[in-house]
CSV table of all heavy atoms in Angstrom, one decimal:
chain,number,residue,atom,x,y,z
A,66,TYR,N,6.9,1.7,7.4
A,66,TYR,CA,5.9,1.7,8.5
A,66,TYR,C,4.8,2.7,8.3
A,66,TYR,O,3.7,2.4,8.5
A,66,TYR,CB,6.7,2.0,9.8
A,66,TYR,CG,7.6,0.9,10.3
A,66,TYR,CD1,8.9,0.9,9.9
A,66,TYR,CD2,7.2,-0.2,11.0
A,66,TYR,CE1,9.8,-0.1,10.3
A,66,TYR,CE2,8.0,-1.2,11.5
A,66,TYR,CZ,9.4,-1.1,11.1
A,66,TYR,OH,10.2,-2.1,11.5
A,67,GLU,N,5.2,4.0,7.9
A,67,GLU,CA,4.2,5.0,7.8
A,67,GLU,C,4.4,5.9,6.6
A,67,GLU,O,5.5,6.2,6.1
A,67,GLU,CB,4.3,5.9,9.0
A,67,GLU,CG,3.9,5.3,10.4
A,67,GLU,CD,4.0,6.2,11.5
A,67,GLU,OE1,4.4,7.4,11.3
A,67,GLU,OE2,3.8,5.8,12.7
A,68,LEU,N,3.2,6.3,6.0
A,68,LEU,CA,3.2,7.3,5.0
A,68,LEU,C,2.3,8.5,5.5
A,68,LEU,O,1.2,8.2,6.1
A,68,LEU,CB,2.6,6.8,3.7
A,68,LEU,CG,3.4,5.8,2.9
A,68,LEU,CD1,2.6,5.2,1.8
A,68,LEU,CD2,4.7,6.4,2.4
A,69,ASP,N,2.8,9.7,5.4
A,69,ASP,CA,2.0,10.8,6.0
A,69,ASP,C,1.6,10.6,7.4
A,69,ASP,O,0.4,10.9,7.9
A,69,ASP,CB,0.7,11.1,5.1
A,69,ASP,CG,1.1,11.7,3.8
A,69,ASP,OD1,2.2,12.2,3.6
A,69,ASP,OD2,0.2,11.6,2.9
A,70,ASN,N,2.5,10.0,8.2
A,70,ASN,CA,2.3,9.7,9.6
A,70,ASN,C,1.1,8.8,9.9
A,70,ASN,O,0.5,8.8,11.0
A,70,ASN,CB,2.1,11.0,10.4
A,70,ASN,CG,3.3,11.9,10.4
A,70,ASN,OD1,4.4,11.5,10.7
A,70,ASN,ND2,3.1,13.2,9.9
A,71,THR,N,0.8,8.0,8.9
A,71,THR,CA,-0.3,7.0,9.0
A,71,THR,C,0.3,5.6,8.7
A,71,THR,O,1.1,5.5,7.8
A,71,THR,CB,-1.4,7.3,8.0
A,71,THR,OG1,-1.9,8.6,8.2
A,71,THR,CG2,-2.6,6.3,8.1
A,72,PRO,N,-0.1,4.6,9.5
A,72,PRO,CA,0.4,3.3,9.2
A,72,PRO,C,0.2,2.9,7.8
A,72,PRO,O,-0.9,3.1,7.2
A,72,PRO,CB,-0.5,2.4,10.2
A,72,PRO,CG,-0.8,3.3,11.3
A,72,PRO,CD,-1.0,4.6,10.7
A,73,VAL,N,1.2,2.3,7.1
A,73,VAL,CA,1.2,2.1,5.7
A,73,VAL,C,0.1,1.1,5.3
A,73,VAL,O,-0.5,1.3,4.2
A,73,VAL,CB,2.6,1.6,5.2
A,73,VAL,CG1,2.9,0.3,5.8
A,73,VAL,CG2,2.6,1.6,3.7
A,74,VAL,N,-0.2,0.1,6.2
A,74,VAL,CA,-1.3,-0.8,5.8
A,74,VAL,C,-2.6,-0.1,5.7
A,74,VAL,O,-3.5,-0.4,4.9
A,74,VAL,CB,-1.4,-1.9,6.9
A,74,VAL,CG1,-2.6,-2.7,6.7
A,74,VAL,CG2,-0.2,-2.9,6.7
A,75,GLU,N,-2.8,0.9,6.6
A,75,GLU,CA,-4.1,1.7,6.5
A,75,GLU,C,-4.2,2.5,5.2
A,75,GLU,O,-5.2,2.7,4.7
A,75,GLU,CB,-4.2,2.6,7.8
A,75,GLU,CG,-4.3,1.9,9.1
A,75,GLU,CD,-5.5,0.9,9.1
A,75,GLU,OE1,-6.6,1.3,8.7
A,75,GLU,OE2,-5.3,-0.2,9.6
A,76,ILE,N,-3.0,3.0,4.8
A,76,ILE,CA,-3.0,3.7,3.5
A,76,ILE,C,-3.4,2.8,2.4
A,76,ILE,O,-4.2,3.2,1.5
A,76,ILE,CB,-1.5,4.3,3.2
A,76,ILE,CG1,-1.2,5.4,4.2
A,76,ILE,CG2,-1.4,4.8,1.8
A,76,ILE,CD1,-1.9,6.7,4.0
A,77,TYR,N,-2.8,1.6,2.4
A,77,TYR,CA,-3.2,0.6,1.3
A,77,TYR,C,-4.7,0.3,1.4
A,77,TYR,O,-5.4,0.2,0.3
A,77,TYR,CB,-2.3,-0.6,1.4
A,77,TYR,CG,-1.1,-0.6,0.6
A,77,TYR,CD1,0.0,0.3,1.0
A,77,TYR,CD2,-0.9,-1.3,-0.5
A,77,TYR,CE1,1.2,0.4,0.3
A,77,TYR,CE2,0.3,-1.3,-1.2
A,77,TYR,CZ,1.3,-0.4,-0.8
A,77,TYR,OH,2.5,-0.3,-1.5
A,78,LYS,N,-5.2,0.1,2.6
A,78,LYS,CA,-6.6,-0.2,2.7
A,78,LYS,C,-7.5,0.9,2.2
A,78,LYS,O,-8.5,0.7,1.5
A,78,LYS,CB,-6.9,-0.5,4.2
A,78,LYS,CG,-6.4,-1.9,4.7
A,78,LYS,CD,-6.8,-2.0,6.2
A,78,LYS,CE,-6.2,-3.4,6.7
A,78,LYS,NZ,-6.5,-3.5,8.2
A,79,LYS,N,-7.1,2.1,2.5
A,79,LYS,CA,-7.9,3.3,2.2
A,79,LYS,C,-8.0,3.5,0.7
A,79,LYS,O,-9.0,3.8,0.1
A,79,LYS,CB,-7.3,4.6,2.8
A,79,LYS,CG,-8.0,5.9,2.4
A,79,LYS,CD,-7.3,7.1,3.1
A,79,LYS,CE,-8.0,8.4,2.7
A,79,LYS,NZ,-7.4,9.6,3.4
A,80,TYR,N,-6.8,3.4,0.0
A,80,TYR,CA,-6.8,3.7,-1.4
A,80,TYR,C,-7.0,2.5,-2.4
A,80,TYR,O,-7.4,2.6,-3.5
A,80,TYR,CB,-5.5,4.4,-1.8
A,80,TYR,CG,-5.4,5.8,-1.2
A,80,TYR,CD1,-4.5,6.1,-0.1
A,80,TYR,CD2,-6.2,6.8,-1.7
A,80,TYR,CE1,-4.5,7.4,0.4
A,80,TYR,CE2,-6.2,8.1,-1.1
A,80,TYR,CZ,-5.3,8.4,-0.1
A,80,TYR,OH,-5.2,9.6,0.5
A,81,LEU,N,-6.6,1.3,-1.9
A,81,LEU,CA,-6.6,0.1,-2.7
A,81,LEU,C,-7.6,-0.9,-2.3
A,81,LEU,O,-7.9,-1.9,-3.0
A,81,LEU,CB,-5.2,-0.5,-2.9
A,81,LEU,CG,-4.1,0.4,-3.4
A,81,LEU,CD1,-2.8,-0.3,-3.5
A,81,LEU,CD2,-4.5,0.9,-4.8
A,82,GLY,N,-8.0,-0.8,-1.0
A,82,GLY,CA,-9.0,-1.8,-0.5
A,82,GLY,C,-8.4,-2.9,0.3
A,82,GLY,O,-7.2,-3.2,0.2
A,83,ARG,N,-9.2,-3.5,1.2
A,83,ARG,CA,-8.7,-4.5,2.1
A,83,ARG,C,-8.1,-5.8,1.4
A,83,ARG,O,-7.2,-6.4,1.8
A,83,ARG,CB,-9.8,-4.9,3.1
A,83,ARG,CG,-9.3,-5.9,4.2
A,83,ARG,CD,-10.5,-6.1,5.1
A,83,ARG,NE,-10.9,-4.9,5.8
A,83,ARG,CZ,-10.3,-4.5,6.9
A,83,ARG,NH1,-9.3,-5.2,7.5
A,83,ARG,NH2,-10.7,-3.4,7.5
A,84,ASP,N,-8.8,-6.1,0.3
A,84,ASP,CA,-8.4,-7.3,-0.5
A,84,ASP,C,-6.9,-7.3,-0.9
A,84,ASP,O,-6.2,-8.3,-1.0
A,84,ASP,CB,-9.3,-7.6,-1.7
A,84,ASP,CG,-10.7,-7.9,-1.3
A,84,ASP,OD1,-10.9,-8.3,-0.1
A,84,ASP,OD2,-11.6,-7.8,-2.1
A,85,ILE,N,-6.4,-6.1,-1.3
A,85,ILE,CA,-5.0,-5.9,-1.7
A,85,ILE,C,-4.1,-6.3,-0.6
A,85,ILE,O,-3.1,-7.0,-0.8
A,85,ILE,CB,-4.8,-4.5,-2.2
A,85,ILE,CG1,-5.5,-4.2,-3.5
A,85,ILE,CG2,-3.3,-4.2,-2.3
A,85,ILE,CD1,-4.9,-4.8,-4.7
A,86,VAL,N,-4.4,-5.9,0.6
A,86,VAL,CA,-3.5,-6.2,1.8
A,86,VAL,C,-3.6,-7.6,2.1
A,86,VAL,O,-2.6,-8.3,2.4
A,86,VAL,CB,-3.9,-5.3,3.0
A,86,VAL,CG1,-3.1,-5.7,4.2
A,86,VAL,CG2,-3.8,-3.8,2.6
A,87,ASP,N,-4.8,-8.3,2.0
A,87,ASP,CA,-4.9,-9.7,2.4
A,87,ASP,C,-4.2,-10.6,1.4
A,87,ASP,O,-3.7,-11.7,1.7
A,87,ASP,CB,-6.4,-10.1,2.4
A,87,ASP,CG,-7.1,-9.4,3.5
A,87,ASP,OD1,-6.5,-8.9,4.5
A,87,ASP,OD2,-8.4,-9.3,3.5
A,88,ASP,N,-4.0,-10.1,0.1
A,88,ASP,CA,-3.3,-10.9,-0.9
A,88,ASP,C,-2.1,-10.1,-1.4
A,88,ASP,O,-2.0,-9.9,-2.6
A,88,ASP,CB,-4.3,-11.2,-2.1
A,88,ASP,CG,-3.7,-12.2,-3.0
A,88,ASP,OD1,-2.8,-13.0,-2.6
A,88,ASP,OD2,-4.1,-12.3,-4.2
A,89,LEU,N,-1.3,-9.7,-0.5
A,89,LEU,CA,-0.3,-8.7,-0.7
A,89,LEU,C,0.7,-9.0,-1.8
A,89,LEU,O,1.0,-8.3,-2.7
A,89,LEU,CB,0.4,-8.3,0.6
A,89,LEU,CG,1.3,-7.1,0.5
A,89,LEU,CD1,0.5,-5.8,0.4
A,89,LEU,CD2,2.2,-7.0,1.7
A,90,LEU,N,1.3,-10.2,-1.7
A,90,LEU,CA,2.4,-10.6,-2.5
A,90,LEU,C,2.2,-10.4,-4.0
A,90,LEU,O,3.0,-9.9,-4.7
A,90,LEU,CB,2.8,-12.0,-2.3
A,90,LEU,CG,4.0,-12.6,-3.1
A,90,LEU,CD1,5.3,-11.7,-2.8
A,90,LEU,CD2,4.3,-14.0,-2.7
A,91,PHE,N,0.9,-10.7,-4.4
A,91,PHE,CA,0.6,-10.7,-5.9
A,91,PHE,C,-0.2,-9.4,-6.2
A,91,PHE,O,0.1,-8.7,-7.2
A,91,PHE,CB,-0.1,-11.9,-6.3
A,91,PHE,CG,0.8,-13.2,-6.2
A,91,PHE,CD1,0.5,-14.1,-5.2
A,91,PHE,CD2,1.9,-13.3,-7.0
A,91,PHE,CE1,1.3,-15.3,-5.1
A,91,PHE,CE2,2.7,-14.5,-6.9
A,91,PHE,CZ,2.4,-15.4,-5.9
A,92,SER,N,-1.2,-9.1,-5.4
A,92,SER,CA,-2.1,-8.1,-5.8
A,92,SER,C,-1.5,-6.7,-5.7
A,92,SER,O,-1.7,-5.9,-6.6
A,92,SER,CB,-3.3,-8.1,-4.8
A,92,SER,OG,-4.0,-9.3,-4.9
A,93,SER,N,-0.6,-6.4,-4.7
A,93,SER,CA,-0.1,-5.1,-4.6
A,93,SER,C,0.9,-4.7,-5.7
A,93,SER,O,1.2,-3.6,-5.9
A,93,SER,CB,0.6,-4.9,-3.2
A,93,SER,OG,1.7,-5.7,-3.1
A,94,LEU,N,1.5,-5.8,-6.3
A,94,LEU,CA,2.5,-5.5,-7.4
A,94,LEU,C,1.8,-4.7,-8.6
A,94,LEU,O,2.5,-4.1,-9.3
A,94,LEU,CB,3.1,-6.8,-7.9
A,94,LEU,CG,4.0,-7.5,-6.9
A,94,LEU,CD1,4.5,-8.8,-7.5
A,94,LEU,CD2,5.2,-6.7,-6.6
A,95,ASP,N,0.5,-4.8,-8.7
A,95,ASP,CA,-0.2,-4.1,-9.8
A,95,ASP,C,-0.1,-2.6,-9.5
A,95,ASP,O,-0.3,-1.8,-10.4
A,95,ASP,CB,-1.6,-4.5,-9.9
A,95,ASP,CG,-1.8,-5.9,-10.6
A,95,ASP,OD1,-1.2,-6.0,-11.7
A,95,ASP,OD2,-2.4,-6.8,-10.0
A,96,PHE,N,0.1,-2.2,-8.2
A,96,PHE,CA,0.1,-0.8,-7.8
A,96,PHE,C,1.3,-0.4,-7.0
A,96,PHE,O,1.2,-0.1,-5.8
A,96,PHE,CB,-1.2,-0.5,-7.0
A,96,PHE,CG,-2.5,-0.8,-7.7
A,96,PHE,CD1,-3.1,-2.0,-7.5
A,96,PHE,CD2,-3.0,0.0,-8.6
A,96,PHE,CE1,-4.3,-2.4,-8.1
A,96,PHE,CE2,-4.2,-0.3,-9.3
A,96,PHE,CZ,-4.8,-1.5,-9.0
A,97,PRO,N,2.5,-0.5,-7.6
A,97,PRO,CA,3.7,-0.2,-6.9
A,97,PRO,C,3.8,1.3,-6.5
A,97,PRO,O,3.1,2.1,-7.1
A,97,PRO,CB,4.8,-0.6,-7.8
A,97,PRO,CG,4.2,-0.4,-9.2
A,97,PRO,CD,2.8,-0.9,-9.0
A,98,LEU,N,4.5,1.6,-5.5
A,98,LEU,CA,4.8,3.0,-5.1
A,98,LEU,C,5.9,3.5,-6.0
A,98,LEU,O,6.9,2.8,-6.4
A,98,LEU,CB,5.3,3.1,-3.7
A,98,LEU,CG,4.2,2.8,-2.6
A,98,LEU,CD1,4.8,2.8,-1.2
A,98,LEU,CD2,3.0,3.7,-2.7
A,99,ILE,N,5.8,4.7,-6.5
A,99,ILE,CA,6.8,5.4,-7.3
A,99,ILE,C,7.5,6.5,-6.6
A,99,ILE,O,6.8,7.3,-6.0
A,99,ILE,CB,6.1,5.9,-8.6
A,99,ILE,CG1,5.5,4.8,-9.5
A,99,ILE,CG2,7.1,6.8,-9.4
A,99,ILE,CD1,6.5,4.1,-10.3
A,100,ILE,N,8.8,6.4,-6.6
A,100,ILE,CA,9.6,7.5,-6.0
A,100,ILE,C,10.3,8.2,-7.2
A,100,ILE,O,10.7,7.6,-8.1
A,100,ILE,CB,10.7,7.0,-5.1
A,100,ILE,CG1,10.2,5.9,-4.2
A,100,ILE,CG2,11.4,8.1,-4.4
A,100,ILE,CD1,11.4,5.1,-3.6
A,101,LYS,N,10.3,9.6,-7.1
A,101,LYS,CA,11.1,10.3,-8.1
A,101,LYS,C,12.3,10.9,-7.5
A,101,LYS,O,12.3,11.7,-6.6
A,101,LYS,CB,10.2,11.5,-8.7
A,101,LYS,CG,10.9,12.2,-9.9
A,101,LYS,CD,10.0,13.2,-10.6
A,101,LYS,CE,10.7,13.8,-11.8
A,101,LYS,NZ,9.9,14.8,-12.4
A,102,ARG,N,13.5,10.3,-8.0
A,102,ARG,CA,14.8,10.8,-7.5
A,102,ARG,C,15.5,11.4,-8.7
A,102,ARG,O,15.8,10.7,-9.7
A,102,ARG,CB,15.6,9.7,-6.9
A,102,ARG,CG,15.0,9.3,-5.5
A,102,ARG,CD,15.8,8.2,-4.9
A,102,ARG,NE,15.2,7.8,-3.6
A,102,ARG,CZ,15.4,6.6,-3.0
A,102,ARG,NH1,16.2,5.8,-3.6
A,102,ARG,NH2,14.8,6.3,-1.9
């Protein structure tokens, strides 16, 4: 839901652009989130 207390969709729009969110299933896979555990 949120990253840095900001709605996650707004984070994607801010850094990757609105088009990524509109075509989420395929476009966002190019920029996955990375967790270090």
Side-chain angles (χ1 to χ4, degrees):
Y66 293 92
E67 293 181 0
L68 292 172
D69 289 343
N70 296 306
T71 302
V73 65
V74 168
E75 296 304 315
I76 293 287
Y77 270 70
K78 288 179 181 177
K79 177 180 178 180
Y80 291 108
L81 301 179
R83 185 177 297 273
D84 291 343
I85 290 287
V86 177
D87 293 341
D88 189 22
L89 189 72
L90 179 58
F91 296 110
S92 299
S93 70
L94 289 176
D95 284 306
F96 303 97
L98 292 175
I99 293 285
I100 316 165
K101 187 173 184 180
R102 290 183 181 155

